[in-house]
Amino acid sequence: MNKVLVVLFAATLASCTGAKGQTAETKSSRPNIIIVMTDDMGYSDVGFNGSKDITTPEIDQLAKKGTIFTSAYVAHPFCGPSRAGLLAGKYPHEFGSQFNLPANSERTVGTGIPLSEKFISSVLKDSGYHTGIIGKWHLGAVPGYEPKNRGFDEFFGFLGGGHDYFPNEYQPKYENLVKAGNKNIFEYLFPLLRNGKETKETEYITDAFSHDAVRFVKDASKKETPFFLYLAYNAPHTPLQAKAEDLEKFKDIKDKNRRTFAAMVYAVDRGMGELVKALKETNQYDNTLIVFLSDNGGRVDHGANNYPLQGAKGDTYEGGFRVPMFFHWPNHVPAGKHFDYPVSSLDFYPTFAGLAHAAIPKEKQLDGKDIWNDVITGNNPRKGQMIFAMRHRSGFSDVGVRLDQWKATKAYNGPWKLYNINEDISEKNDISKQHPEQLKIMVAGAKKWSEGHEEPLWFDPVELKQVWKDKNMAQFPNTFKID
């Protein structure tokens, strides 16, 4: 029986090392891996992380029976760079992908995440895994950079950064524009793709992705090899579009954006219930590790709630890159526990490779670490090690640094501030004057990290390219100056 590792994005995982070319016996002892990642979900937009108005019973049940990570971070406070960091195991700044690929990048950019970065999907495929991605890609929309070129055997979804949700609405718009000879059609209207070919969808696409995940699990469970599934929902990312029956469940929420957002999250929750049912039907539930997380913080101007964190998507405050996350794997992951030490989505790469007994290429540089044993034993896997975030704005850069109980933040071109984040999760009480040496250590660490950054391969919005040059932003003027 194949084991299964499911990662619900909010997430993290792994251990053990091994080599390519496993025997049938060792393959049977390796977990299947499923990453479930939501898009722009806020820190408290799921019940297990404090939501009072959005009900997520299926997700909450898994979280309750697993380990909840209260200090889980992603590699960037924006969608594309965050996802690139997760799959590449490195901060996106280190391979020129620190900006989102702009809309319709097949025309405006014509490239994707550098092929020199071997994704964890390729490492797992090389070790014998059957691999698939369902949902949002956002890592390259031109030949050579699509999922099939990055270690995925199967792909169903879209290549851009977002998509409309109702086929009966977006498909006629697309077809009319094509008939009119329009060559500049917005990517949110493109047909979904299955293994490179356009497909005509009929379902609300969150449901379509969930149902295809069930199909993938059932098909893959019949194979002799384990599988890796990256279930990358675009919900609850804008546009805010929800099914009428889901909206009805949240009719008591007065704010329209919040009500629609809640309904979109609920659709993801429904899909998680269907996925769990499929795992049970194929006798794989007990051998499944589930890791759930969001790709970045939520947009509070479009219905999300990051309470009690300060900031939102795009920020280096906690609300920008600290996300809801849990692991679930009966008899493997401690049940009913909270893991309060900081972890990063960058840790997935070595952790998954370890669980899969997969060989990481010797030349591959990683910024994460195998955290599996520490998660199991309840120890700090990153004691004395920093986690970074950097977002480039128009003419200046914001930075966030997490180190054990400390958080240093530079935001909106303001001064560096220091917080004891364990006691002050909302970043309200600046204690930099009381602990100046601690702040210096963290700012120096961020500066050293920045020295390994590459020039951006693209900009979003494209106007920032000229600002980047005019302001000499690659040299980080005043970024690491402590007032």
Side-chain angles (χ1 to χ4, degrees):
M1 180 189 302
N2 292 337
K3 289 186 178 180
V4 178
L5 164 62
V6 178
V7 186
L8 276 141
F9 227 29
T12 309
L13 232 3
S15 158
C16 314
T17 54
K20 189 175 175 180
Q22 309 294 321
T23 66
E25 182 178 357
T26 58
K27 281 183 178 179
S28 68
S29 67
R30 299 187 296 166
N32 296 319
I33 300 171
I34 304 175
I35 299 177
V36 181
M37 177 178 269
T38 56
D39 198 342
D40 290 2
M41 175 183 281
Y43 191 72
S44 59
D45 284 331
V46 282
F48 77 84
N49 233 37
S51 175
K52 302 299 182 184
D53 55 352
I54 300 180
T55 52
T56 52
E58 301 293 346
I59 292 173
D60 294 349
Q61 184 176 27
L62 290 171
K64 184 179 180 180
K65 294 179 179 179
T67 293
I68 296 170
F69 293 80
T70 61
S71 296
Y73 295 89
V74 289
H76 195 283
F78 275 142
C79 309
S82 172
R83 291 161 189 258
L86 182 151
L87 290 176
K90 290 170 60 177
Y91 287 104
H93 315 71
E94 297 169 5
F95 47 89
S97 304
Q98 53 269 69
F99 287 97
N100 271 333
L101 274 163
N104 294 94
S105 65
E106 74 283 353
R107 295 197 319 267
T108 59
V109 175
T111 188
I113 304 303
L115 298 177
S116 56
E117 295 301 326
K118 188 166 187 174
F119 286 180
I120 181 60
S121 46
S122 291
V123 169
L124 294 175
K125 181 177 179 178
D126 288 347
S127 72
Y129 275 65
H130 179 66
T131 58
I133 171 175
I134 296 171
K136 174 175 173 174
W137 180 236
H138 205 192
L139 302 176
V142 292
Y145 295 89
E146 298 167 318
K148 66 179 180 180
N149 305 112
R150 310 311 294 261
F152 289 101
D153 296 308
E154 297 187 37
F155 169 53
F156 173 59
F158 58 90
L159 297 173
H163 208 282
D164 280 17
Y165 290 82
F166 289 103
N168 64 329
E169 295 178 4
Y170 72 74
Q171 286 178 166
K173 292 179 183 177
Y174 175 80
E175 292 167 359
N176 289 335
L177 289 169
V178 170
K179 289 178 182 178
N182 193 316
K183 302 296 184 181
N184 299 310
I185 302 174
F186 187 38
E187 63 181 17
Y188 280 38
L189 303 178
F190 286 179
L192 297 184
L193 301 175
R194 183 177 295 280
N195 300 325
K197 296 182 179 180
E198 294 183 359
T199 181
K200 200 155 189 173
E201 187 50 59
T202 59
E203 289 189 289
Y204 179 70
I205 66 172
T206 300
D207 290 341
F209 294 154
S210 296
H211 295 159
D212 202 61
V214 169
R215 189 274 315 163
F216 180 94
V217 165
K218 289 183 176 180
D219 287 352
S221 69
K222 300 172 186 176
K223 298 179 181 294
E224 293 298 322
T225 58
F227 68 81
F228 169 55
L229 173 62
Y230 175 33
L231 177 53
Y233 287 109
N234 58 311
H237 189 290
T238 54
L240 296 180
Q241 298 174 348
K243 296 172 68 174
E245 55 265 42
D246 292 337
L247 285 167
E248 180 64 20
K249 293 180 181 295
F250 299 96
K251 60 184 179 181
D252 293 335
I253 298 178
K254 292 182 171 54
D255 181 83
K256 181 180 178 181
N257 280 350
R258 181 64 175 173
R259 182 168 64 252
T260 307
F261 185 97
M264 296 170 76
V265 171
Y266 186 79
V268 171
D269 186 75
R270 175 173 58 248
M272 289 312 304
E274 294 168 356
L275 183 61
V276 167
K277 181 180 178 182
L279 291 170
K280 291 180 176 179
E281 288 178 349
T282 53
N283 297 316
Q284 296 183 108
Y285 175 77
D286 289 338
N287 295 320
T288 299
L289 166 62
I290 299 176
V291 184
F292 173 93
L293 75 162
S294 177
D295 61 350
N296 47 246
R299 288 190 61 177
V300 295
D301 61 334
H302 284 77
N305 183 359
N306 294 317
Y307 181 85
L309 308 181
Q310 183 177 175
K313 174 182 179 177
D315 287 349
T316 53
Y317 289 118
E318 295 288 277
F321 69 114
R322 184 168 174 169
V323 299
M325 185 174 99
F326 70 76
F327 290 175
H328 173 278
W329 190 2
N331 303 314
H332 291 271
V333 170
K337 300 292 185 180
H338 284 76
F339 192 86
D340 297 325
Y341 297 117
V343 297
S344 169
S345 61
L346 297 172
D347 300 328
F348 292 170
Y349 198 118
T351 303
F352 293 164
L355 285 176
H357 306 173
I360 298 173
K362 293 181 179 179
E363 68 277 9
K364 178 64 178 176
Q365 296 181 350
L366 296 174
D367 291 324
K369 62 182 301 182
D370 185 342
I371 63 171
W372 182 249
N373 289 333
D374 290 314
V375 170
I376 300 305
T377 58
N379 292 316
N380 186 353
R382 286 178 165 271
K383 185 176 178 60
Q385 298 178 0
M386 299 183 194
I387 292 175
F388 304 104
M390 178 179 283
R391 186 263 174 97
H392 302 304
R393 296 187 185 271
S394 184
F396 62 93
S397 298
D398 290 352
V399 188
V401 187
R402 174 71 192 266
L403 173 62
D404 298 328
Q405 76 270 32
W406 306 101
K407 170 70 188 302
T409 306
K410 181 176 178 60
Y412 294 94
N413 217 17
W416 279 95
K417 296 182 179 181
L418 180 70
Y419 308 94
N420 183 325
I421 206 67
N422 287 347
E423 299 176 357
D424 181 21
I425 193 173
S426 302
E427 295 174 280
K428 292 181 178 179
N429 181 29
D430 176 21
I431 54 175
S432 58
K433 302 302 181 186
Q434 295 94 311
H435 302 278
E437 292 304 314
Q438 183 63 45
L439 181 61
K440 288 180 182 178
I441 290 171
M442 297 176 73
V443 173
K447 182 178 181 181
K448 183 177 180 180
W449 169 63
S450 74
E451 293 169 357
H453 294 190
E454 297 286 342
E455 282 284 312
L457 296 172
W458 50 77
F459 293 84
D460 185 37
V462 294
E463 294 78 16
L464 284 180
K465 183 176 183 179
Q466 191 62 47
V467 176
W468 182 271
K469 180 180 179 181
D470 293 344
K471 297 290 186 179
N472 195 28
M473 289 183 65
Q475 300 303 313
F476 301 105
N478 299 317
T479 300
F480 303 108
K481 178 182 178 182
I482 300 176
D483 297 335

